[in-house]
Amino acid sequence: MRLHRNLCFAVIDGLHLIFNEGEYADKVIQQLLKRDKRWGSRDRGFVAETVYTIVRYQRLYAEIADVKAPYHRDDLWRMFAVWATLKGIKLPDWKYFTDTPTRKIKGRFDELSKIRKFKESIPDWIDELGVAELGEAEWTKEIAMQNEQADVILRVNTLKTTKKDLQLKLQSEEIETEFLPNHPSALKLTERANVFRTEAFKNGWFEVQDASSQLVADYLDVKPGMKVVDVCAGAGGKTLHLASLMENKGQLIAMDIYESKLKKLKIRARRNGVHNIEMKVIDSTKPIKKLHGKADRLLIDAPCSGLGVLRRNPDAKWKLEPEFIENIKKTQQEVLEQYSKMVKPGGKMVYATCSVLPSENQKQVDKFLTSEAGKDFTFVKDKKVLAYKSGFDGFYMALLEKNNPN
């Protein structure tokens, strides 16, 4: 592989924004990819994948390069040289690479690869937390998988098409996909491609949604005609899935504290041909109180640490703080206690997170069931999805039923 100067400069600029300015990796990469209209898909792929890899392995590469944050541009070039050397790429004779100790880099890599927090490139506190919650063996496998690049998974919009027809349509646009067992609406891309430019996407035939995330709406057991509330809807990936499972019939209320996210959902719903969604901003306790005892089904896709989706958000490792985890657990309890009041007797609720930590998952459900707010609920079943076992994102979902006094 030959390194091209303009692509390498884009990578260094991106790393500076992520590491030193605290910007989000996915947003930075979106900006970088618009930099030069002449770049082909291979060029864009190089920029995106190189930035993501160096973000993933920041701790390891910085240790090998012997540099510390905040990084000067020369430090970022040294980290880039580590990445290139470990990939077996011949470094060109640019001034940034003079005196790169190639052999020393490989030796340091072999040494540090024996220590998990360097090998998997995670802060000490996350490593300790993972071991405490999942045990040494399980955590070692899980965090290794969280450093693998995630597959691109699509969810077919059954309001507009079938999985087979979507597959054929994408094939006609030179995108190959395969079915996934146990994921009825999923198609997996056999190799990465920009699916957002396809005719099929513009026509609302699919959304990009990880296979684990697709299990959540199915778990809620919705039927056409029901009154369903998705209370932490965000930009609505699961809301849209619920709408297709409800066949556009009944009432689907999407709620969130951020109006900007619901606006994105509105645009997506239009493209998906979904018209049974009503959007409500949670700007006070009123919208929740109005729905007390009214919902046949409630989805609480709770805010969480996101430790199950590090493959998609590798910079989150460096943005998370221990205090955040403690605070988010309190938020999860409050959300369960407050929002569960919307479920009517005989109704069902799913509590879900994209975390792999039991303290955010089954322990939160157990705590809720012994609380005043949870005493009328019965635990039905739960599902723990670990990335190293499934090959997809880490997720948790629990189904609870509200007792019918009759």
Side-chain angles (χ1 to χ4, degrees):
M1 180 198 276
R2 233 179 100 230
L3 293 176
H4 297 278
R5 209 178 272 262
N6 62 343
L7 298 177
C8 296
F9 270 100
V11 169
I12 298 297
D13 291 346
L15 294 173
H16 167 73
L17 291 170
I18 296 160
F19 293 151
N20 298 336
E21 305 289 331
E23 293 192 25
Y24 286 96
D26 57 342
K27 302 274 186 295
V28 168
I29 285 166
Q30 277 171 19
Q31 288 163 18
L32 289 177
L33 298 185
K34 291 175 187 159
R35 187 180 270 199
D36 192 329
K37 288 203 163 57
R38 293 166 306 177
W39 288 350
S41 60
R42 190 175 288 177
D43 299 329
R44 289 196 300 272
F46 171 84
V47 172
E49 283 169 34
T50 307
V51 170
Y52 267 131
T53 303
I54 297 173
V55 170
R56 258 188 203 107
Y57 291 105
Q58 177 195 179
R59 184 173 187 181
L60 177 65
Y61 293 172
E63 191 72 20
I64 295 172
D66 197 19
V67 296
K68 287 189 166 50
Y71 307 112
H72 297 296
R73 285 188 83 80
D74 285 351
D75 296 339
L76 295 172
W77 279 109
R78 286 176 77 170
M79 286 166 77
F80 182 92
V82 169
W83 166 82
T85 302
L86 294 173
K87 238 179 132 47
I89 296 167
K90 190 176 183 302
L91 292 171
D93 54 357
W94 302 346
K95 63 176 182 181
Y96 316 105
F97 301 137
T98 44
D99 306 326
T100 298
T102 312
R103 191 176 290 165
K104 193 178 160 198
I105 286 173
K106 290 174 182 165
R108 264 321 255 140
F109 174 75
D110 292 340
E111 260 169 62
L112 291 168
S113 292
K114 295 176 185 136
I115 306 161
R116 185 180 51 234
K117 63 188 180 184
F118 289 117
K119 184 188 180 197
E120 304 305 349
S121 218
I122 34 176
D124 288 8
W125 73 270
I126 291 184
D127 194 37
E128 287 155 16
L129 181 65
V131 170
E133 296 238 2
L134 292 178
E136 194 91 30
E138 191 121 89
W139 173 247
T140 301
K141 291 180 211 159
E142 184 62 17
I143 195 61
M145 187 59 179
Q146 288 293 349
N147 272 329
E148 297 290 325
Q149 189 182 47
D151 292 314
V152 180
I153 312 289
L154 313 179
R155 178 184 57 74
V156 62
N157 176 13
T158 51
L159 295 174
K160 288 201 167 188
T161 189
T162 64
K163 198 159 59 168
K164 191 69 204 157
D165 284 348
L166 172 60
Q167 189 176 45
L168 291 169
K169 174 75 175 150
L170 288 170
Q171 218 165 24
S172 75
E173 300 192 48
E174 293 178 356
I175 293 175
E176 294 295 332
T177 59
E178 55 191 43
F179 288 10
L180 286 181
N182 308 319
H183 294 86
S185 303
L187 282 178
K188 175 179 145 182
L189 265 62
T190 53
E191 65 182 65
R192 302 182 86 73
N194 185 351
V195 291
F196 299 115
R197 290 182 170 181
T198 61
E199 192 87 3
F201 179 74
K202 288 169 189 156
N203 293 339
W205 282 26
F206 69 86
E207 289 290 329
V208 173
Q209 186 182 6
D210 185 76
S212 299
S213 175
Q214 292 187 33
L215 298 171
V216 176
D218 278 326
Y219 218 65
L220 193 55
D221 182 33
V222 296
K223 303 273 187 296
M226 280 184 170
K227 188 179 190 116
V228 178
V229 179
D230 180 357
V231 77
C232 305
K238 297 178 187 74
T239 319
L240 296 170
H241 192 185
L242 288 166
S244 66
L245 293 170
M246 292 165 74
E247 297 167 15
N248 244 341
K249 296 168 189 156
Q251 191 184 10
L252 179 51
I253 302 167
M255 309 179 89
D256 203 273
I257 55 173
Y258 299 109
E259 189 174 10
S260 57
K261 289 185 177 179
L262 293 176
K263 280 181 176 162
K264 283 182 188 160
L265 169 55
K266 202 172 192 173
I267 295 162
R268 292 172 80 184
R270 201 175 298 140
R271 191 183 59 246
N272 277 256
V274 169
H275 48 71
N276 67 334
I277 298 180
E278 190 184 325
M279 293 167 214
K280 289 188 178 177
V281 182
I282 306 170
D283 48 9
S284 66
T285 54
K286 257 190 205 151
I288 303 294
K289 280 182 179 158
K290 273 188 179 166
L291 288 165
H292 277 189
K294 302 262 170 65
D296 294 300
R297 299 285 185 269
L298 169 69
L299 172 59
I300 301 178
D301 185 16
C304 70
S305 65
L307 286 176
V309 292
L310 290 178
R311 300 186 310 158
R312 297 179 188 286
N313 309 305
D315 50 332
K317 296 190 278 193
W318 316 114
K319 286 185 164 58
L320 274 177
E321 298 286 346
E323 306 77 64
F324 176 83
I325 305 261
E326 286 319 304
N327 291 334
I328 210 73
K329 287 181 200 169
K330 291 181 191 130
T331 305
Q332 288 162 351
Q333 263 317 305
E334 285 163 15
V335 160
L336 267 167
E337 286 178 15
Q338 295 309 313
Y339 297 168
S340 60
K341 293 171 184 166
M342 291 189 274
V343 184
K344 71 182 194 190
K348 292 176 186 176
M349 159 173 99
V350 162
Y351 169 81
T353 76
C354 55
S355 173
V356 292
L357 301 180
S359 64
E360 293 185 80
N361 297 336
Q362 54 268 46
K363 286 187 180 167
Q364 290 289 38
V365 171
D366 293 344
K367 193 173 174 184
F368 169 70
L369 290 169
T370 56
S371 72
E372 186 58 30
K375 68 178 191 327
D376 293 334
F377 284 85
T378 304
F379 173 83
V380 181
K381 59 180 180 174
D382 70 355
K383 190 176 187 69
K384 308 169 189 72
V385 184
L386 290 169
Y388 87 89
K389 287 183 180 173
S390 67
F392 307 111
D393 290 346
F395 252 85
Y396 175 79
M397 56 212 80
L399 181 66
L400 308 177
E401 191 164 354
K402 191 166 186 180
N403 307 331
N404 208 329
N406 308 333

